[in-house]
Amino acid sequence: MPTTWRAVLSLPMTAAFALIPVGTSQAEPTVPEHAVVVCDSASFYANYDSSSGPAGLKRTLSRGDKVGHTRGAHPVYNGWAATFDFGPNDWGFVRQECLGGYGSW
């Protein structure tokens, strides 16, 4: 086959491969690992500000409340861990030392 024909036939294949997505730029979401509150009470804040600390108290969690936090995947800022409260299904921040019993339920 002449070289010009090979070039003409390979062009559609090259264009087709250019349209195939190679990867995604977004990370897959991480499902919170099951944990429980191990402190008698733990303040649950809506946000964490690096200059002023936790902000927007949502409620107080009690010992044994079911929450989620995936160690190594969800952020911890100065001991305040991003935590999912499975009760009302919302995110907030709680002291890292008040989380324990990972995988217990």
Side-chain angles (χ1 to χ4, degrees):
M1 181 181 288
T3 307
T4 54
W5 276 107
R6 277 188 227 157
V8 169
L9 291 175
S10 68
L11 244 122
M13 289 301 288
T14 305
F17 284 125
L19 297 175
I20 298 172
V22 178
T24 60
S25 62
Q26 296 178 344
E28 291 296 318
T30 301
V31 177
E33 182 181 356
H34 288 172
V36 293
V37 174
V38 296
C39 296
D40 288 333
S41 66
S43 298
F44 189 68
Y45 289 92
N47 205 348
Y48 183 84
D49 184 300
S50 60
S51 63
S52 60
L57 179 64
K58 287 185 164 189
R59 62 187 158 277
T60 300
L61 303 176
S62 300
R63 180 180 295 274
D65 282 350
K66 294 178 178 180
V67 297
H69 172 78
T70 302
R71 297 167 284 187
H74 295 137
V76 176
Y77 305 110
N78 295 321
W80 291 91
T83 305
F84 186 78
D85 185 354
F86 284 99
N89 294 325
D90 62 352
W91 283 95
F93 288 85
V94 71
R95 289 296 304 169
Q96 184 177 16
E97 62 266 17
C98 288
L99 301 176
Y102 287 93
S104 63
W105 60 279

